Amino acid sequence: MKPFYIQRKADFYLVEWKSNPQKLPLIVKGARQIGKTETILHFAKQHYEHIVYINFVTDEKYKAITKDGYEAQSIIKNISLIDTSKKFIPQKTIIIFDELQEFPEIATSLKFFKLAGLFDVVCSGSLLGLSYNRIQSNSVGYKTDYEMSSLDFEEFLWAKGYTNAPAEMLQKMKECKPFTELEHTVYAALFRDFCITGGMPAIVSSYLQKGTFEGVLEMQQQLILNYKEDAKKYAEGLDKTRIANVLDHIPVQLAKENKKFQISKVAKGARFKDYWGCIEWLRDAGIINICYCMNFPELPLKGNYDASKYKLYFFDTGLLIANLDEDSQDDLRANGNFGVYKGALFENIVAESLRKQGFELYYYKKEDSTLEEDFFVRAKNFLLPVEVKATNGTAKSLKTLLKSEHYADISYGIKFIQGNIGFSNNIFTFPYFCSFLLKRYLKDFNPVLSEESKTTE
């Protein structure tokens, strides 16, 4: 199979970065195997006459390039000593330092490369084991950060040739105009394929080239194993077995009616203080997303949550699917049954989509009550509860939040379902496949309140 390049949103960012005359050296970071190196090299080949690429994993000898200090000229001299074929032509050369987590000391040189102003510099590193505090202190004020993620549904649509679809979908949302039966069928089928493959570039590329899901599960399961192996290598001072236990229990706990992650269920005698460091490590490594329980559904969102109550989601739904039990795997792949695990897949899909748009994750569970809402987002002065329904049934909690006078910041709600676009009782309904557009939709969100007013519970 002839390899081909999958267009990424980072492509546009890199071009914009290059065109800025005041640009700083760039650090591209993110979880492992999400396409950072491929994207940077693709950009470099298109925009520079000379590329100096250094990988601190495959070429450990380059860790010696700072032995004479961090001045740009000194580092260039030492690179040339190791490989005389590398060319350094001012204004026409990009220097790429890859696998930054293996040699974070190189970040100290970014200040000097910026001051010299002769070459563009891009660093790339996996969040796994990336001592970012160290890098921050070594390069403060002289770097720009960009965090990549695995593909989102928009990038998947581009790869499938549906380049105009996102704009058309957004327009439908803004006009509150339902999709035609054909449109809905096509987009829902594409979204199902995306959810099964997930957004890891190598897996998506295999699916696109073969036209089938052959080998997808095996690749996903291998990625999970790789992450666990990386934990053994990079998780300093933490119990590696506990990190693996947390990963293994995410699908199990998402399958419960109460999806709050409970440390006590991970292992006998497990305590919060023993496991929280493992959970933070997984989050910082870009492997999981944490959704915190709000103290009360009101603005502001930040600071208004209980750090001891949370739900955990995989950063890529394809990896969650790879962790399902065999019966659920078969049901999902053979029958397209996304209702397995009591809607956990749908929640993970929306959580992933929200995070890739830059939203923080918050939910609410009222004590001694059935009132529970999946997510909350902010749009201007609106606090919007977001409900994720595995079926197209009623959203009891959402209706309670909208009708009760106790939740003054809430006037509208959003519900993601398998069905079509609609609006009723101040609830906007969208298909799951529109979730990647929520931030753009909310940018100009300013609806007129319906005549229905809040009443006392």
Side-chain angles (χ1 to χ4, degrees):
M1 291 182 293
K2 185 179 179 180
F4 64 96
Y5 181 74
I6 298 176
Q7 187 178 47
R8 305 299 302 275
K9 292 181 177 178
D11 296 336
F12 303 104
Y13 177 86
L14 288 167
V15 172
E16 185 179 336
W17 168 80
K18 184 182 187 303
S19 66
N20 181 359
Q22 305 301 320
K23 63 179 170 293
L24 299 172
L26 177 66
I27 296 179
V28 179
K29 54 185 181 175
R32 77 190 313 265
Q33 298 186 33
I34 58 168
K36 298 184 296 296
T37 301
E38 183 181 18
T39 300
I40 294 167
L41 287 174
H42 178 78
F43 158 75
K45 290 172 185 175
Q46 289 186 316
H47 294 91
Y48 295 88
E49 291 184 24
H50 302 284
I51 301 170
V52 175
Y53 175 77
I54 293 171
N55 186 309
F56 291 116
V57 169
T58 58
D59 291 305
E60 290 194 33
K61 59 182 176 288
Y62 283 103
K63 292 181 180 180
I65 60 178
T66 59
K67 66 182 180 66
D68 297 321
Y70 295 95
E71 293 285 347
Q73 193 56 44
S74 174
I75 288 175
I76 290 169
K77 177 184 176 183
N78 286 330
I79 292 174
S80 299
L81 281 172
I82 295 171
D83 184 352
T84 58
S85 69
K86 294 189 185 301
K87 298 186 185 306
F88 294 87
I89 310 300
Q91 317 308 331
K92 297 182 179 180
T93 302
I94 183 172
I95 302 172
I96 302 170
F97 294 119
D98 203 0
E99 303 292 0
L100 182 62
Q101 75 280 357
E102 290 292 328
F103 191 58
E105 289 83 356
I106 195 64
T108 303
S109 70
L110 299 183
K111 172 181 178 179
F112 300 102
F113 275 107
K114 169 58 182 174
L115 293 175
L118 300 176
F119 311 103
D120 289 350
V121 180
V122 177
C123 300
S124 175
S126 295
L127 291 170
L128 281 164
L130 185 52
S131 180
Y132 207 72
N133 289 334
R134 192 163 150 201
I135 289 172
Q136 178 72 17
S137 62
N138 287 354
S139 55
V140 62
Y142 290 94
K143 66 174 179 59
T144 299
D145 295 312
Y146 179 79
E147 187 164 344
M148 278 187 70
S149 64
S150 57
L151 277 80
D152 65 7
F153 186 48
E154 183 166 20
E155 291 168 313
F156 185 85
L157 287 171
W158 294 345
K160 292 285 288 184
Y162 292 85
T163 53
N164 296 324
E168 294 169 0
M169 289 179 179
L170 181 59
Q171 192 60 35
K172 293 267 190 181
M173 293 172 72
K174 288 181 175 180
E175 295 176 359
C176 206
K177 183 178 179 181
F179 293 97
T180 66
E181 183 177 352
L182 177 60
E183 288 170 336
H184 193 280
T185 299
V186 170
Y187 294 147
L190 287 164
F191 190 67
R192 172 185 173 274
D193 288 359
F194 169 68
C195 292
I196 291 175
T197 63
M200 303 304 275
I203 297 173
V204 174
S205 180
S206 173
Y207 155 79
L208 291 172
Q209 292 181 73
K210 294 178 180 177
T212 70
F213 297 107
E214 177 191 347
V216 165
L217 176 59
E218 290 76 11
M219 294 173 74
Q220 290 169 332
Q221 290 174 335
Q222 184 59 52
L223 274 172
I224 292 289
L225 291 175
N226 291 346
Y227 281 126
K228 290 178 180 178
E229 286 299 313
D230 283 330
K232 295 177 183 178
K233 180 178 180 181
Y234 292 111
E236 298 177 2
L238 294 172
D239 188 317
K240 317 305 189 289
T241 302
R242 288 175 181 169
I243 291 176
N245 284 344
V246 170
L247 279 177
D248 291 339
H249 276 78
I250 292 175
V252 178
Q253 300 213 27
L254 283 178
K256 299 182 303 181
E257 290 295 338
N258 175 14
K259 292 179 171 59
K260 185 182 83 169
F261 195 84
Q262 295 175 283
I263 293 294
S264 60
K265 304 293 184 184
V266 174
K268 187 176 180 180
R271 297 175 299 177
F272 177 83
K273 68 175 185 177
D274 296 327
Y275 273 82
W276 182 242
C278 301
I279 292 170
E280 286 185 314
W281 186 87
L282 286 166
R283 177 200 62 198
D284 294 343
I287 300 172
I288 65 171
N289 292 318
I290 303 178
C291 181
Y292 290 105
C293 182
M294 298 175 67
N295 294 315
F296 190 80
E298 63 183 358
L299 295 172
L301 287 169
K302 288 192 175 181
N304 177 28
Y305 64 86
D306 185 340
S308 68
K309 297 177 183 177
Y310 50 88
K311 296 184 287 187
L312 300 183
Y313 300 100
F314 277 91
F315 85 101
D316 187 278
T317 302
L319 301 187
L320 169 62
I321 290 175
N323 256 8
L324 300 180
D325 59 77
E326 288 188 12
D327 289 341
S328 296
Q329 287 277 0
D330 292 341
D331 192 13
L332 173 65
R333 295 174 189 279
N335 305 314
N337 179 16
F338 274 78
V340 297
Y341 276 62
K342 298 179 181 178
L345 294 181
F346 291 114
E347 269 197 45
N348 203 99
I349 288 164
V350 174
E352 175 191 342
S353 180
L354 292 176
R355 283 298 298 130
K356 287 179 176 177
Q357 293 171 75
F359 289 110
E360 298 295 331
L361 300 182
Y362 303 98
Y363 77 103
Y364 179 65
K365 173 70 172 72
K366 187 176 182 180
E367 295 292 337
D368 303 320
S369 170
T370 58
L371 178 62
E372 183 171 6
E373 196 56 62
D374 300 321
F375 304 105
F376 287 84
V377 296
R378 180 172 186 168
K380 297 182 180 177
N381 294 320
F382 294 102
L383 177 63
L384 293 166
V386 178
E387 182 109 342
V388 182
K389 299 293 290 183
T391 63
N392 295 348
T394 58
K396 185 178 177 182
S397 291
L398 183 52
K399 289 182 177 179
T400 299
L401 289 170
L402 288 169
K403 289 185 176 182
S404 172
E405 64 180 7
H406 298 311
Y407 310 107
D409 290 336
I410 300 174
S411 299
Y412 297 94
I414 291 173
K415 184 169 65 169
F416 286 110
I417 61 172
Q418 295 190 70
N420 217 321
I421 292 176
F423 177 76
S424 177
N425 299 320
N426 285 13
I427 299 174
F428 293 89
T429 302
F430 301 114
Y432 299 117
F433 58 74
C434 288
S435 58
F436 76 98
L437 290 164
L438 186 58
K439 191 162 192 175
R440 273 172 272 181
Y441 170 74
L442 294 178
K443 184 179 179 182
D444 302 314
F445 185 77
N446 192 28
V448 178
L449 278 167
S450 70
E451 293 181 3
E452 179 181 321
S453 59
K454 290 198 170 190
T455 58
T456 306
E457 278 184 313

